[in-house]
Amino acid sequence: MDPKRSNPRCQRLMLASVTLCALLVTQPSSAIDIRADTEVIVENGTTGILHCSFKSNQVVSSATTVTWTFQSSQPDNQFSKDSHTILYFAGGKTFPGLEWFKDRIRFIGDINKRDVSIQLSPVQFSDNGTYFCDVKNPPDVEGTRARTELRVVLPDSLPQKNTALIVGAVSGALVLLVLSLVAVCVVARMVRNRHDYEGCTSLDSVSSSQAPPPRKKLESPGAEVSRGGSPTGPSQGPVIYAQLDHSGSKNSFHKMEPVVYADIRKN
């Protein structure tokens, strides 16, 4: 008879081992994604905020921990050789690290929203250096900590902000738009004036082409016109013809009788 099978204690250990293996198989650990600002520039004596967030496939719980560490960029600083913990967050509570940051550092993130940012105030020149943000959310415990370079500068020496660039770009675009509209209006007016001028010229040409032909010259008084014939020329007033008596009588002049023919011509 096998003693291991008869021993209840061994059986319980074997059952616990099988259960643990099953849990490890059903809930494998995965990498956690941690992100932070690459560089932060802050004026000396003001408040600086170091943003950090993470992504995890697991639900955030009281087992989630956050660790912020600092390594100075100044060779003569005591914290330049290695990174040192300046803040530790676990179980909903914050625990300060280095005494140098104890009264100036504060956790301002929301762990349920995957935000683990911190605030440093007032910022000093000795705070120049690299800040590391590390998050553990079991079983997601594997991941690369994020890093942020903090640069502390003199007051009024911050680089030009993007706001001024945006305002300048918008102003330039508006000016360009106005100039474009003015140019379009001028071109449209020139085209309209040219069209009107061409229209007037065309009307004058049509009018001149449709003008009635000039009247023909009046026929000479010697032209023969029949009494019953229809005239062929344009209308003219009555034509008076004088009939003379060519007889040899001395009083022939008194015998001359005027004859009037009405020549009414129609078009």
Side-chain angles (χ1 to χ4, degrees):
M1 185 175 179
D2 192 354
K4 292 184 178 180
R5 292 183 178 179
S6 61
N7 191 343
R9 184 176 181 182
C10 291
Q11 293 179 357
R12 288 195 297 271
L13 290 175
M14 292 177 62
L15 182 61
S17 300
V18 172
T19 304
L20 180 60
C21 291
L23 291 174
L24 292 176
V25 172
T26 55
Q27 294 183 355
S29 61
S30 59
I32 186 170
D33 184 18
I34 308 172
R35 298 183 180 182
D37 295 334
T38 304
E39 183 182 43
V40 176
I41 304 176
V42 186
E43 292 181 351
N44 182 40
T46 62
T47 299
I49 296 179
L50 305 181
H51 296 280
C52 183
S53 60
F54 68 95
K55 293 182 179 180
S56 175
N57 295 327
Q58 302 299 322
V59 179
V60 176
S61 64
S62 58
T64 305
T65 61
V66 181
T67 305
W68 278 91
T69 56
F70 165 73
Q71 184 174 0
S72 178
S73 59
Q74 301 175 1
D76 56 345
N77 192 290
Q78 57 180 336
F79 308 120
S80 61
K81 296 182 180 180
D82 196 6
S83 60
H84 300 266
T85 301
I86 58 175
L87 183 141
Y88 180 74
F89 179 89
K93 297 181 179 180
T94 302
F95 303 93
L98 291 175
E99 188 71 20
W100 178 257
F101 296 93
K102 181 178 180 180
D103 298 330
R104 298 186 298 119
I105 195 169
R106 185 165 66 94
F107 184 81
I108 60 173
D110 188 344
I111 195 70
N112 294 320
K113 295 181 179 179
R114 274 68 169 175
D115 183 8
V116 291
S117 304
I118 60 174
Q119 174 182 294
L120 188 61
S121 181
V123 177
Q124 302 175 5
F125 287 112
S126 57
D127 297 333
N128 280 295
T130 306
Y131 293 77
F132 299 93
C133 174
D134 192 13
V135 182
K136 306 294 183 184
N137 186 35
D140 291 349
V141 294
E142 297 294 333
T144 304
R145 60 182 183 175
R147 56 185 297 165
T148 300
E149 295 292 334
L150 178 64
R151 291 176 53 195
V152 183
V153 298
L154 294 172
D156 302 329
S157 61
L158 288 175
Q160 190 71 19
K161 295 183 179 180
N162 294 332
T163 304
L165 298 178
I166 294 174
V167 172
V170 172
S171 300
L174 291 176
V175 172
L176 182 61
L177 178 61
V178 171
L179 293 178
S180 301
L181 292 176
V182 171
V184 170
C185 293
V186 171
V187 173
R189 180 172 296 180
M190 293 176 62
V191 172
R192 185 170 60 252
N193 293 339
R194 182 177 179 181
H195 178 72
D196 294 342
Y197 175 77
E198 291 179 352
C200 293
T201 305
S202 300
L203 291 176
D204 294 340
S205 301
V206 171
S207 299
S208 60
S209 62
Q210 293 181 355
R215 296 176 179 271
K216 295 182 179 180
K217 295 183 180 180
L218 297 178
E219 295 182 357
S220 60
E224 296 181 357
V225 179
S226 60
R227 293 178 181 269
S230 58
T232 59
S235 300
Q236 68 181 25
V239 179
I240 300 175
Y241 297 94
Q243 184 176 3
L244 302 178
D245 186 2
H246 298 281
S247 61
S249 176
K250 295 180 180 180
N251 298 326
S252 60
F253 177 80
H254 300 283
K255 293 180 181 180
M256 182 182 62
E257 296 178 357
V259 180
V260 178
Y261 297 96
D263 185 9
I264 303 174
R265 299 182 183 180
K266 296 182 180 179
N267 294 329

